[in-house]
Amino acid sequence: MAKSGSVSASDAIVVEDKTFTLNGDNVSYRFHVDNTTGDLLSDHFGGSISGAIPTDPEPEVNGWVGMIGRVRREFPDQGRGDFRAPAIHIRQSAGYAVSELQYQSHSVIQGKPELPGLPATFGGEDDVTTLVVHLYDNYSSVAADLSYSIFPKYDAIVRSANVTNKGKGDITIEALASLSVDLPLEDLDMIGLRGDWAREARRERRRVEYGSQGFGSTTGFSSHLHNPFLALVHPSTTESQGEAWGFSLVYTGSFAVDVEKGSQGLTRALLGFNRNQLSWSLGPGESLTSPECVSVYSNNGIGGMSRSLHRLYRNHLIKSQFATSNRPVLLNSWEGVYFDYNQTSMYTLAEKSAALGTKLFVMDDGWFGKEYPRVSDNAGLGDWTPNPDRFPKGLDPLVSNVTELKAGNTSTNLRFGIWIEPEMVNPNSTLYKKHPDWVMHAGPYPRTERRQQLLLNLALPEVQNFVIDTVSDILNSADITYVKWDHNRGMHESASPSANHAYMLGIYHVFDVLTTRFPNVLWEGCASGGGRFDPGVLQYFPQIWTSDDTDAVERISIQLGTSLAYPPSAMGAHISAVPNHQTGRSIPVVFRAHVAMMGGSFGLELNPEELTEDESAAVPGLIKQAEEIAPIILKGDMFRLKLPEESNWPAVLFVSEEGDKAVMFAFQINPTVNHAFPRIRLQGLDEQATYKVEGEGEFSGKTLMNMGLLVAFEGDYSSKVLSLERV
Ligand code: DGJ
């Protein structure tokens, strides 16, 4: 990847008079204070610039749109003639909807302060520097601090806003964007990730047209429907070429992405809270902090943008000690046995899975509930005591027996993991009978159930403590070193719009306490698959179950889509049984395994007893292969060489951090009859170096990147994994 310079964090912010420039290795972000209005005006966000900049001719002002609606603004407030969507909308104590936030002062901080109560990227003084610009509205006595942190090595700028009521009456924050960016007159495409349950992360690219367009979530959570991620690119930008701006909101709640091409042709993008679910009241002296939004810039196409986000998230977002370390290959019981098990059959499943060489056994849903046993999804959530019919002496006997098993022919003991869904309650539970007031609800309105369950209100301190104590007790009850934290519904009724963000502050507190208390536990996030695949969850959990669709062909699209914003290290990916339980398709085990190997947490999700002889014989070798290449997947750079939505031969290359190793995955979906095979051109190698390509020979980086490898396949669902080594 081309580096145009190396900027140290301490030099990354340049303040001259009232002009602020943030420089990364390949990016500059510049804005200034308008001397007449005190407004912050944007100058540039893109490739590096230096020294003086040309003075733009003043826009001509005619018609209804005044000067304020013709300029590029950093933090557009409500009213006063900017008719585009505002980044902040305050209902002032006197009821007015107008604000006038003007520059007051600024400060530069080495490093990056934490965001109170919210997940956030982190780094030391050598990694990141922060500029805080203080704004003030003299009419309403509202202060707003805009925070800009630059990670120069990652070409990443992280923004958030903090609003404080310095007046004497209450105000309401109706809208607050974490990031607002006004780009110059240019044709742009916007890219988002859309989907639904079992169909996450479909890439959606469309032209930014005049007017407003956008997407978001009102589900209470980041959701399967749309992901809190946006890319803006030029129409000519590809995976490997052209400019790309990526925006990723570090938040797990409802959000909104608004992209608006105003009457003058300038494009404004806003990412932040969903304004329909905010209405946050601030009494005198109170503040609201927005989640933060990461922006990255790349001139190496969409792939370059993704790699910057991946690196930043691996090193400066995910707090877990397991962020980039090899995860134990696991077997998860869900698709193998669903709810149909007891202690003996669970042990047999673990025994069989250990024989294949897995290192971790995960008991999924169905182990708990006494008065309301969890033998189907109709009951039990909330009653986190082991089901006495299944586990008469609690979990410890099973856990002890499983952790004495050895993985394959090794001397490694199996680890034990458990599934929980602690934010939920079934009406059929003792918890709900005891605390019906603990669930999210809106007074007398019916409490809508999804999957026969209701959502606990995590904004309540007593609920937070219940969840913390319950999970702690489970983890202290036996040698459990892995948790799959599930979450299977959205928010339907809430007492007020602000209850949604209050929930988020509550759940972040719970995540923080538990992951700090149990740092040696490997935590996996899950929300019916990827319903909460977002940077907020990744702060606490290093991996997320990517989708409930385990069909390998579907998974290529889902995993590659997810990788637009999130590192492969964060993706849980399993080999499941055939015919696949979601699609009914039968795909060879090698292809299924190769797709799953592209995720940081590789595993199986099937009953080993149902494997054919050939499959059983193949699995130990596939596990070994996954373990060998894992360090490159977990720490390396990912290059999407061919996309599944564009080619019958999707292909991906991972290049190790040091550049000395690489591994290429190539797939054929439909059979090729009487037709040539594609030449796959590699990326990210050293042109001058020579690489040994497994089974092919030795070639220069130049040859591999400019000419490529011709990969031949046989039949449908055929796949190849090739290792490369620099010689
Ligand atoms: C939804 C998850 O995504 C599945 O993997 C499984 O854990 C089920 N819930 C269990 O109820």
Side-chain angles (χ1 to χ4, degrees), residues 148-293:
Y148 297 76
S149 297
I150 173 145
F151 289 85
K153 262 197 241 127
Y154 302 83
D155 295 323
I157 293 148
V158 184
R159 278 195 47 182
S160 64
N162 176 283
V163 186
T164 305
N165 178 4
K166 304 247 181 189
K168 294 201 168 63
D170 290 357
I171 62 169
T172 307
I173 310 299
E174 299 290 1
L176 177 61
S178 303
L179 171 105
S180 56
V181 63
D182 279 359
L183 296 169
L185 171 62
E186 287 190 296
D187 281 340
L188 290 170
D189 284 357
M190 59 188 275
I191 303 172
L193 296 171
R194 66 163 175 83
D196 207 319
W197 172 75
R199 191 161 46 76
E200 296 88 342
R202 301 296 153 143
R203 190 192 279 229
E204 181 82 19
R205 180 171 178 163
R206 57 186 141 141
R207 186 60 54 89
V208 175
E209 304 285 2
Y210 280 89
S212 303
Q213 49 249 281
F215 52 84
S217 165
T218 52
T219 66
F221 302 101
S222 45
S223 91
H224 309 85
L225 312 186
H226 292 284
N227 195 275
F229 161 78
L230 166 76
L232 292 172
V233 301
H234 291 137
S236 57
T237 297
T238 66
E239 267 296 316
S240 55
Q241 281 173 343
E243 290 190 293
W245 293 260
F247 306 100
S248 173
L249 187 67
V250 185
Y251 194 51
T252 308
S254 292
F255 68 93
V257 172
D258 295 309
V259 181
E260 182 174 358
K261 191 165 176 168
S263 63
Q264 296 293 310
L266 311 178
T267 296
R268 171 170 294 174
L270 303 172
L271 278 89
F273 289 122
N274 192 305
R275 69 187 63 211
N276 298 329
Q277 296 178 355
L278 190 58
S279 267
W280 194 270
S281 165
L282 291 181
E286 289 180 344
S287 298
L288 173 67
T289 303
S290 78
E292 65 180 30
C293 184

Side-chain angles (χ1 to χ4, degrees), residues 339-347 363 389-391 398:
F339 288 108
D340 187 14
Y341 63 83
N342 58 29
Q343 184 170 322
T344 313
S345 65
M346 219 8 104
Y347 180 71
M363 177 164 68
D389 293 339
R390 293 183 170 191
F391 302 97
L398 173 69

Side-chain angles (χ1 to χ4, degrees), residues 113 144 154 215 235 301 337 339 342 347 360 415-416 497 519 527 553 584 602 639 664 670 675-676 680:
Y154 302 83
F215 52 84
V337 294
F339 288 108
N342 58 29
Y347 180 71
L360 163 69
R415 293 170 58 165
F416 191 91
V553 169
F602 172 85
F639 295 83
M664 184 181 92
N670 295 311
H675 196 281
I680 301 175

Side-chain angles (χ1 to χ4, degrees), residues 542-561:
Q543 62 187 56
I544 296 174
W545 177 230
T546 318
S547 175
D548 273 352
D549 189 343
T550 58
D551 175 284
V553 169
E554 293 289 293
R555 269 306 190 107
I556 298 178
S557 298
I558 294 171
Q559 292 173 204
L560 263 56

Side-chain angles (χ1 to χ4, degrees), residues 334 339 364-365 374 419 421 451 484 486 488 526-529 545 548 605:
W334 181 241
F339 288 108
D364 209 281
D365 201 351
R374 179 81 171 168
W419 176 98
E421 194 181 356
R451 208 192 188 204
K484 175 179 174 186
D486 206 348
N488 289 304
C526 174
S528 316
W545 177 230
D548 273 352
E605 183 151 342

Side-chain angles (χ1 to χ4, degrees), residues 544-589:
I544 296 174
W545 177 230
T546 318
S547 175
D548 273 352
D549 189 343
T550 58
D551 175 284
V553 169
E554 293 289 293
R555 269 306 190 107
I556 298 178
S557 298
I558 294 171
Q559 292 173 204
L560 263 56
T562 304
S563 78
L564 227 53
Y566 306 104
S569 64
M571 294 183 213
H574 301 167
I575 306 174
S576 60
V578 288
N580 180 268
H581 294 191
Q582 293 78 41
T583 61
R585 181 155 43 190
S586 290
I587 291 177
V589 71

